[in-house]
């Protein structure tokens, strides 16, 4: 297998790198401190095709593949994990669900607006009492004539307040019963569809995370995605692709922390020499480089399989699991290399450290990835 990037991949990576340096880097700490979701940044990314990376050109998207998606997320996340997370959630979850399972009328109506960031999308599966246990969700959709009435609360929703529409998975049958959930599109402004509490988070603070509350929210049956009872199966397939995006996000954070560490270790002098000369530092850098390279190969393998349309549940879970754990380890070692300065907000690695932890939790914890992987290898 040859994972050498082609001209298109190199070009989009450079475009993302330049954008992050010019528009994100100067403001990332003020957004982080204020927990500001910089909506205008995503509108600008939409103009570059980076909010509809995988969407076919006929729907106004960039029509690119997973290698391009991977490098875009990496380059943005090397500067700011929060922006990378929101780009991933918009592309993989809401837009990805619509693109994969929506009917032609839904695609024509929503994909062009999502692909250009005229609309920001959100996606809802998790609830206060059913995180990994998604089969026990309490949010319901009850048929009423040609409509559905939604009631319940979703939590940890990226863009839960600022999104223009949401793809939400609701229970349409008995709890834990097979085929008991269904996916729906809910437009912002629909009565009974409201944002709840905004979370005050350790990291990823510029990526908006809120509750979403449905209170007798009435939507048309035309807003249903796929057949009744297919929602959970659809969500699991969407999360396969989503795991690649979180892996790419994690790898970007790891690379950002690593590159900052390399630079600092050459500039910081102790005992009349750069600290990179000391084995305690140089061995940390060696471990970082090795683990980053291994994570990158796992992600490239998953991207290649996804592009070819072959099953990649195991490979996506492996990439997500390993890359996210690497991000935490690399950013932790980066803080150690920076010493006291690494513990301050004047240097970049403390933010990489805070942002990295989400990657081991979101879109399936590391423990859930191990369950997925073990099931696949034991088949």
């Amino acid at each position: 297998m040859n994972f050498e990037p082609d001209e298109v991949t190199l070009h989009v990576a450079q475009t993302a790198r330049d954008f992050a340096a010019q528009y994100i880097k100067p403001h990332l700490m003020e957004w982080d401190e204020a927990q500001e979701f910089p909506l205008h940044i995503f509108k600008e990314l939409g103009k570059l095709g980076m909010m509809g990376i995988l969407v076919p050109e006929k729907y106004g998207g960039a029509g690119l593949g997973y290698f391009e998606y991977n490098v875009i997320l990496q380059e943005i996340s090397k500067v700011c994990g929060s922006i990378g997370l929101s780009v991933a959630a918009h592309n993989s979850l809401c837009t990805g669900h619509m693109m994969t399972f929506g009917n032609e009328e839904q695609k024509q109506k929503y994909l062009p607006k999502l692909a250009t960031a005229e609309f920001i999308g959100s996606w809802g599966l998790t609830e206060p009492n059913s995180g990994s246990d998604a089969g026990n969700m309490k949010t319901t959709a009850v048929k009423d004539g040609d409509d559905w009435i939604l009631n319940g609360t979703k939590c940890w929703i990226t863009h839960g307040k600022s999104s223009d529409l949401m793809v939400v998975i609701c229970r349409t049958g008995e709890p834990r019963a097979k085929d008991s959930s269904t996916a729906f599109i809910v437009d912002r402004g629909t009565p009974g569809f409201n944002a709840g509490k905004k979370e005050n988070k350790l990291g990823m603070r510029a990526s908006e995370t809120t509750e979403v509350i449905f209170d007798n929210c009435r939507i048309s049956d035309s807003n249903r995605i796929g057949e009744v009872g297919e929602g959970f199966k659809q969500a699991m397939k969407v999360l396969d692709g989503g795991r690649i995006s979180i892996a790419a996000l994690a790898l970007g954070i790891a690379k950002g922390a690593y590159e900052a560490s390399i630079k600092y270790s050459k500039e910081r002098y102790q005992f009349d020499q750069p600290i990179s000369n000391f084995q305690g530092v140089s061995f940390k850098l060696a471990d970082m480089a090795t683990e980053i390279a291994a994570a990158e190969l796992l992600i490239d393998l998953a991207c290649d399989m996804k592009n070819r349309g072959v099953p990649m549940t195991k490979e996506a879970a492996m990439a997500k699991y390993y890359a996210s754990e690497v991000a935490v380890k690399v950013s932790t070692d980066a803080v150690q290399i920076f010493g006291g300065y690494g513990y301050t907000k004047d240097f970049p690695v403390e933010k990489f450290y805070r942002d990295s932890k989400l990657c081991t939790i979101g879109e399936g914890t590391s423990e859930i990835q191990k369950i997925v992987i073990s099931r696949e290898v034991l088949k």
Side-chain angles (χ1 to χ4, degrees):
M1 289 175 283
N2 178 19
F3 298 143
E4 196 68 28
D6 60 20
E7 188 176 337
V8 173
T9 306
L10 291 171
H11 173 71
V12 297
Q14 186 63 55
T15 301
R17 190 179 308 127
D18 292 344
F19 182 91
Q22 183 175 353
Y23 295 104
I24 300 173
K25 190 172 183 177
H27 306 288
L28 62 90
M29 288 312 295
E30 66 183 76
W31 296 336
D32 183 80
E33 290 285 323
Q35 291 204 90
E36 177 186 348
F37 177 59
L39 185 58
H40 65 284
I41 287 295
F42 301 97
K43 300 295 185 181
E44 292 300 318
L45 284 167
K47 294 175 184 177
L48 295 174
M50 295 185 187
M51 297 297 275
I53 300 166
L54 303 167
V55 176
E57 292 181 54
K58 70 176 183 176
Y59 298 117
L64 298 172
Y66 269 80
F67 283 112
E68 291 77 27
Y69 187 25
N70 173 22
V71 297
I72 288 168
L73 285 175
Q74 282 189 51
E75 293 298 337
I76 291 172
S77 303
K78 278 165 68 174
V79 174
C80 181
S82 293
I83 306 303
L85 175 61
S86 280
V87 171
H90 174 92
N91 275 280
S92 284
L93 300 181
C94 178
T95 305
H97 198 136
M98 193 91 62
M99 186 173 67
T100 307
F101 296 106
N103 60 39
E104 188 60 28
E105 182 180 349
Q106 291 165 345
K107 291 178 181 179
Q108 292 282 358
K109 180 178 179 180
Y110 292 108
L111 286 181
K113 293 182 177 180
L114 288 166
T116 57
E118 179 182 346
F119 279 4
I120 299 295
S122 59
W123 191 81
L125 178 65
T126 302
E127 298 182 2
N129 294 308
S130 61
S132 299
D133 184 17
N136 196 32
M137 69 179 69
K138 300 294 190 291
T139 299
T140 59
V142 177
K143 193 81 187 300
D144 183 32
D146 292 330
D147 295 338
W148 292 84
I149 299 175
L150 279 52
N151 281 288
T153 300
K154 297 291 183 179
C155 66
W156 310 115
I157 306 302
T158 307
H159 318 141
K161 179 180 178 182
S162 296
S163 60
D164 298 279
L165 68 115
M166 181 179 189
V167 173
V168 60
I169 318 300
C170 300
R171 183 163 57 79
T172 49
E174 294 301 313
R176 300 198 185 283
K178 187 178 180 182
D179 303 329
S180 64
S181 62
T182 306
F184 299 91
I185 304 162
V186 187
D187 294 280
R188 183 67 61 189
T190 304
F193 174 38
N194 300 296
K197 179 184 71 170
K198 180 177 178 179
E199 303 297 341
N200 185 9
K201 301 179 305 219
L202 168 71
M204 301 293 195
R205 290 168 61 83
S207 180
E208 178 186 276
T209 307
T210 75
E211 287 183 330
V212 171
I213 300 164
F214 297 95
D215 182 11
N216 290 318
C217 177
R218 181 180 290 271
I219 59 172
S220 168
D221 187 58
S222 63
N223 286 43
R224 172 172 45 83
I225 300 179
E227 298 301 319
V228 173
E230 290 183 346
F232 187 74
K233 291 178 182 177
Q234 292 176 8
M236 294 304 100
K237 290 179 181 177
V238 168
L239 286 172
D240 272 352
R243 285 171 184 147
I244 294 176
S245 71
I246 299 301
L249 164 67
L251 184 59
I253 291 171
K255 285 184 174 182
Y258 168 70
E259 290 173 9
S261 299
I262 289 283
K263 183 174 183 292
Y264 183 80
S265 72
K266 293 178 179 179
E267 295 172 349
R268 173 68 168 170
Y269 272 65
Q270 292 287 276
F271 305 100
D272 303 318
Q273 57 185 310
I275 62 171
S276 58
N277 284 358
F278 299 117
Q279 191 178 87
V281 172
S282 64
F283 277 19
K284 277 186 170 59
L285 296 170
D287 285 340
M288 289 178 177
T290 302
E291 290 159 355
I292 285 171
E296 190 151 33
L297 285 170
L298 279 171
I299 295 168
D300 283 343
L301 175 62
C303 287
D304 177 65
M305 295 175 74
K306 184 69 173 175
N307 280 345
R308 290 188 287 115
V310 300
M312 34 62 78
T313 296
K314 178 184 72 176
E315 289 74 14
M318 285 178 167
K320 195 271 186 190
Y321 165 54
Y322 187 73
S324 63
E325 294 292 340
V326 164
V328 172
K329 184 177 184 299
V330 168
S331 60
T332 301
D333 284 347
V335 171
Q336 195 71 17
I337 288 170
F338 273 73
Y341 292 112
Y343 205 64
T344 73
K345 292 182 182 294
D346 295 327
F347 289 80
V349 291
E350 70 85 29
K351 184 174 183 299
F352 289 127
Y353 178 72
R354 289 186 290 110
D355 287 349
S356 66
K357 188 57 193 170
L358 183 277
C359 299
T360 70
I361 300 170
E363 295 197 33
T365 62
S366 290
E367 291 74 20
I368 290 294
Q369 303 312 314
K370 289 182 183 181
I371 291 172
V372 173
I373 295 163
S374 62
R375 282 176 179 169
E376 291 295 314
V377 300
L378 290 169
K379 276 184 177 178

PDB file of all heavy atoms in Angstrom, residues 26-41:
ATOM      1  N   PRO A  26      -3.777  33.491  15.805  1.00  0.00           N
ATOM      2  CA  PRO A  26      -3.727  34.752  16.564  1.00  0.00           C
ATOM      3  C   PRO A  26      -4.814  34.893  17.627  1.00  0.00           C
ATOM      4  O   PRO A  26      -4.692  35.715  18.531  1.00  0.00           O
ATOM      5  CB  PRO A  26      -3.893  35.823  15.471  1.00  0.00           C
ATOM      6  CG  PRO A  26      -3.504  35.159  14.194  1.00  0.00           C
ATOM      7  CD  PRO A  26      -3.943  33.739  14.354  1.00  0.00           C
ATOM      8  N   HIS A  27      -5.889  34.104  17.530  1.00  0.00           N
ATOM      9  CA  HIS A  27      -7.048  34.314  18.403  1.00  0.00           C
ATOM     10  C   HIS A  27      -7.376  33.112  19.288  1.00  0.00           C
ATOM     11  O   HIS A  27      -8.321  33.181  20.084  1.00  0.00           O
ATOM     12  CB  HIS A  27      -8.280  34.638  17.552  1.00  0.00           C
ATOM     13  CG  HIS A  27      -8.069  35.777  16.607  1.00  0.00           C
ATOM     14  ND1 HIS A  27      -7.970  37.085  17.021  1.00  0.00           N
ATOM     15  CD2 HIS A  27      -7.917  35.778  15.248  1.00  0.00           C
ATOM     16  CE1 HIS A  27      -7.780  37.865  15.966  1.00  0.00           C
ATOM     17  NE2 HIS A  27      -7.732  37.103  14.893  1.00  0.00           N
ATOM     18  N   LEU A  28      -6.630  32.022  19.155  1.00  0.00           N
ATOM     19  CA  LEU A  28      -7.084  30.772  19.779  1.00  0.00           C
ATOM     20  C   LEU A  28      -7.184  30.865  21.296  1.00  0.00           C
ATOM     21  O   LEU A  28      -8.084  30.278  21.899  1.00  0.00           O
ATOM     22  CB  LEU A  28      -6.205  29.600  19.354  1.00  0.00           C
ATOM     23  CG  LEU A  28      -4.715  29.582  19.687  1.00  0.00           C
ATOM     24  CD1 LEU A  28      -4.454  28.910  21.027  1.00  0.00           C
ATOM     25  CD2 LEU A  28      -3.946  28.833  18.603  1.00  0.00           C
ATOM     26  N   MET A  29      -6.285  31.614  21.950  1.00  0.00           N
ATOM     27  CA  MET A  29      -6.341  31.682  23.410  1.00  0.00           C
ATOM     28  C   MET A  29      -7.483  32.574  23.901  1.00  0.00           C
ATOM     29  O   MET A  29      -8.094  32.283  24.935  1.00  0.00           O
ATOM     30  CB  MET A  29      -5.007  32.147  23.982  1.00  0.00           C
ATOM     31  CG  MET A  29      -3.908  31.097  23.895  1.00  0.00           C
ATOM     32  SD  MET A  29      -4.383  29.447  24.483  1.00  0.00           S
ATOM     33  CE  MET A  29      -4.686  29.756  26.222  1.00  0.00           C
ATOM     34  N   GLU A  30      -7.797  33.621  23.167  1.00  0.00           N
ATOM     35  CA  GLU A  30      -8.936  34.451  23.588  1.00  0.00           C
ATOM     36  C   GLU A  30     -10.238  33.679  23.423  1.00  0.00           C
ATOM     37  O   GLU A  30     -11.134  33.767  24.275  1.00  0.00           O
ATOM     38  CB  GLU A  30      -8.983  35.770  22.813  1.00  0.00           C
ATOM     39  CG  GLU A  30      -9.267  35.659  21.333  1.00  0.00           C
ATOM     40  CD  GLU A  30      -9.214  37.006  20.616  1.00  0.00           C
ATOM     41  OE1 GLU A  30      -8.101  37.501  20.378  1.00  0.00           O
ATOM     42  OE2 GLU A  30     -10.293  37.541  20.296  1.00  0.00           O
ATOM     43  N   TRP A  31     -10.356  32.901  22.370  1.00  0.00           N
ATOM     44  CA  TRP A  31     -11.546  32.053  22.204  1.00  0.00           C
ATOM     45  C   TRP A  31     -11.602  31.002  23.313  1.00  0.00           C
ATOM     46  O   TRP A  31     -12.665  30.716  23.849  1.00  0.00           O
ATOM     47  CB  TRP A  31     -11.530  31.352  20.844  1.00  0.00           C
ATOM     48  CG  TRP A  31     -11.596  32.267  19.664  1.00  0.00           C
ATOM     49  CD1 TRP A  31     -12.105  33.539  19.628  1.00  0.00           C
ATOM     50  CD2 TRP A  31     -11.128  31.981  18.345  1.00  0.00           C
ATOM     51  NE1 TRP A  31     -11.978  34.058  18.366  1.00  0.00           N
ATOM     52  CE2 TRP A  31     -11.390  33.127  17.548  1.00  0.00           C
ATOM     53  CE3 TRP A  31     -10.522  30.875  17.745  1.00  0.00           C
ATOM     54  CZ2 TRP A  31     -11.054  33.181  16.196  1.00  0.00           C
ATOM     55  CZ3 TRP A  31     -10.183  30.936  16.404  1.00  0.00           C
ATOM     56  CH2 TRP A  31     -10.449  32.075  15.642  1.00  0.00           C
ATOM     57  N   ASP A  32     -10.456  30.420  23.643  1.00  0.00           N
ATOM     58  CA  ASP A  32     -10.394  29.393  24.673  1.00  0.00           C
ATOM     59  C   ASP A  32     -10.805  29.967  26.031  1.00  0.00           C
ATOM     60  O   ASP A  32     -11.619  29.367  26.750  1.00  0.00           O
ATOM     61  CB  ASP A  32      -8.967  28.833  24.743  1.00  0.00           C
ATOM     62  CG  ASP A  32      -8.821  27.704  25.746  1.00  0.00           C
ATOM     63  OD1 ASP A  32      -9.189  26.566  25.400  1.00  0.00           O
ATOM     64  OD2 ASP A  32      -8.357  27.959  26.869  1.00  0.00           O
ATOM     65  N   GLU A  33     -10.252  31.108  26.395  1.00  0.00           N
ATOM     66  CA  GLU A  33     -10.544  31.721  27.691  1.00  0.00           C
ATOM     67  C   GLU A  33     -12.017  32.090  27.811  1.00  0.00           C
ATOM     68  O   GLU A  33     -12.642  31.894  28.856  1.00  0.00           O
ATOM     69  CB  GLU A  33      -9.677  32.972  27.885  1.00  0.00           C
ATOM     70  CG  GLU A  33      -8.196  32.684  28.084  1.00  0.00           C
ATOM     71  CD  GLU A  33      -7.890  32.139  29.460  1.00  0.00           C
ATOM     72  OE1 GLU A  33      -8.529  32.583  30.431  1.00  0.00           O
ATOM     73  OE2 GLU A  33      -7.012  31.263  29.561  1.00  0.00           O
ATOM     74  N   ALA A  34     -12.586  32.625  26.730  1.00  0.00           N
ATOM     75  CA  ALA A  34     -13.971  33.100  26.757  1.00  0.00           C
ATOM     76  C   ALA A  34     -14.977  32.013  26.408  1.00  0.00           C
ATOM     77  O   ALA A  34     -16.188  32.248  26.459  1.00  0.00           O
ATOM     78  CB  ALA A  34     -14.134  34.275  25.791  1.00  0.00           C
ATOM     79  N   GLN A  35     -14.494  30.817  26.040  1.00  0.00           N
ATOM     80  CA  GLN A  35     -15.368  29.753  25.514  1.00  0.00           C
ATOM     81  C   GLN A  35     -16.222  30.265  24.366  1.00  0.00           C
ATOM     82  O   GLN A  35     -17.413  29.974  24.257  1.00  0.00           O
ATOM     83  CB  GLN A  35     -16.265  29.172  26.611  1.00  0.00           C
ATOM     84  CG  GLN A  35     -15.526  28.380  27.662  1.00  0.00           C
ATOM     85  CD  GLN A  35     -16.407  27.372  28.348  1.00  0.00           C
ATOM     86  OE1 GLN A  35     -16.535  26.231  27.921  1.00  0.00           O
ATOM     87  NE2 GLN A  35     -17.028  27.783  29.437  1.00  0.00           N
ATOM     88  N   GLU A  36     -15.589  31.035  23.500  1.00  0.00           N
ATOM     89  CA  GLU A  36     -16.291  31.630  22.353  1.00  0.00           C
ATOM     90  C   GLU A  36     -16.262  30.680  21.165  1.00  0.00           C
ATOM     91  O   GLU A  36     -15.193  30.205  20.760  1.00  0.00           O
ATOM     92  CB  GLU A  36     -15.631  32.963  21.972  1.00  0.00           C
ATOM     93  CG  GLU A  36     -16.249  33.613  20.740  1.00  0.00           C
ATOM     94  CD  GLU A  36     -15.510  34.854  20.278  1.00  0.00           C
ATOM     95  OE1 GLU A  36     -14.650  35.357  21.036  1.00  0.00           O
ATOM     96  OE2 GLU A  36     -15.783  35.320  19.160  1.00  0.00           O
ATOM     97  N   PHE A  37     -17.418  30.419  20.611  1.00  0.00           N
ATOM     98  CA  PHE A  37     -17.513  29.623  19.391  1.00  0.00           C
ATOM     99  C   PHE A  37     -17.415  30.592  18.206  1.00  0.00           C
ATOM    100  O   PHE A  37     -18.363  31.334  17.926  1.00  0.00           O
ATOM    101  CB  PHE A  37     -18.841  28.856  19.368  1.00  0.00           C
ATOM    102  CG  PHE A  37     -19.058  28.051  18.113  1.00  0.00           C
ATOM    103  CD1 PHE A  37     -18.168  27.056  17.741  1.00  0.00           C
ATOM    104  CD2 PHE A  37     -20.163  28.281  17.302  1.00  0.00           C
ATOM    105  CE1 PHE A  37     -18.373  26.304  16.591  1.00  0.00           C
ATOM    106  CE2 PHE A  37     -20.378  27.534  16.153  1.00  0.00           C
ATOM    107  CZ  PHE A  37     -19.480  26.549  15.798  1.00  0.00           C
ATOM    108  N   PRO A  38     -16.276  30.624  17.500  1.00  0.00           N
ATOM    109  CA  PRO A  38     -16.065  31.634  16.452  1.00  0.00           C
ATOM    110  C   PRO A  38     -16.751  31.256  15.144  1.00  0.00           C
ATOM    111  O   PRO A  38     -16.132  30.761  14.195  1.00  0.00           O
ATOM    112  CB  PRO A  38     -14.542  31.661  16.306  1.00  0.00           C
ATOM    113  CG  PRO A  38     -14.118  30.264  16.643  1.00  0.00           C
ATOM    114  CD  PRO A  38     -15.098  29.757  17.676  1.00  0.00           C
ATOM    115  N   LEU A  39     -18.028  31.508  15.089  1.00  0.00           N
ATOM    116  CA  LEU A  39     -18.840  31.086  13.950  1.00  0.00           C
ATOM    117  C   LEU A  39     -18.281  31.589  12.626  1.00  0.00           C
ATOM    118  O   LEU A  39     -18.316  30.888  11.607  1.00  0.00           O
ATOM    119  CB  LEU A  39     -20.280  31.575  14.147  1.00  0.00           C
ATOM    120  CG  LEU A  39     -21.323  31.131  13.121  1.00  0.00           C
ATOM    121  CD1 LEU A  39     -21.419  29.616  13.048  1.00  0.00           C
ATOM    122  CD2 LEU A  39     -22.690  31.735  13.464  1.00  0.00           C
ATOM    123  N   HIS A  40     -17.739  32.813  12.630  1.00  0.00           N
ATOM    124  CA  HIS A  40     -17.239  33.399  11.380  1.00  0.00           C
ATOM    125  C   HIS A  40     -16.090  32.574  10.781  1.00  0.00           C
ATOM    126  O   HIS A  40     -15.925  32.543   9.554  1.00  0.00           O
ATOM    127  CB  HIS A  40     -16.768  34.837  11.623  1.00  0.00           C
ATOM    128  CG  HIS A  40     -15.586  34.955  12.531  1.00  0.00           C
ATOM    129  ND1 HIS A  40     -15.672  34.809  13.899  1.00  0.00           N
ATOM    130  CD2 HIS A  40     -14.270  35.192  12.265  1.00  0.00           C
ATOM    131  CE1 HIS A  40     -14.473  34.956  14.437  1.00  0.00           C
ATOM    132  NE2 HIS A  40     -13.620  35.191  13.467  1.00  0.00           N
ATOM    133  N   ILE A  41     -15.326  31.892  11.629  1.00  0.00           N
ATOM    134  CA  ILE A  41     -14.228  31.061  11.130  1.00  0.00           C
ATOM    135  C   ILE A  41     -14.765  29.912  10.281  1.00  0.00           C
ATOM    136  O   ILE A  41     -14.210  29.561   9.228  1.00  0.00           O
ATOM    137  CB  ILE A  41     -13.395  30.523  12.307  1.00  0.00           C
ATOM    138  CG1 ILE A  41     -12.559  31.648  12.925  1.00  0.00           C
ATOM    139  CG2 ILE A  41     -12.491  29.367  11.876  1.00  0.00           C
ATOM    140  CD1 ILE A  41     -11.488  32.221  12.020  1.00  0.00           C
TER     141      ILE A  41
END
